[in-house]
Amino acid sequence: MPYPITPPDGADWSIDVEATDAGVALILEFDLAGVPTRAKLDMDRPDSRKFARAVLAAGGDAMERTFEGARLDAGRG
């Protein structure tokens, strides 16, 4: 895995991607009850874009819940 992302806080997980013939594979590595675990999600281009939009939406929802009263969509039509 050429570009793994490991959180700076020392958490026991990483995320990486690799090109596949059909699109991309998202690779997650983490400890599950003390057992090193690797999950590989193979996605074609449309699936990877849906996944990316879902992750962004979840992050936005979490941000709104974290900062009560903040309107992240302020300024939108």
Side-chain angles (χ1 to χ4, degrees):
M1 295 189 298
Y3 303 105
I5 298 171
T6 303
D9 65 357
D12 290 334
W13 65 267
S14 67
I15 186 171
D16 199 1
V17 295
E18 68 182 30
T20 65
D21 290 339
V24 67
L26 181 67
I27 301 165
L28 305 167
E29 293 184 350
F30 53 94
D31 281 346
L32 181 61
V35 177
T37 305
R38 184 174 196 247
K40 183 176 178 181
L41 308 172
D42 289 321
M43 296 177 273
D44 60 13
R45 183 177 290 231
D47 284 341
S48 67
R49 290 181 183 207
K50 287 178 194 174
F51 182 83
R53 284 192 294 273
V55 168
L56 289 172
D61 290 346
M63 182 69 79
E64 287 184 21
R65 285 191 301 276
T66 301
F67 298 100
E68 293 181 31
R71 294 292 305 169
L72 296 179
D73 61 350
R76 293 184 187 170

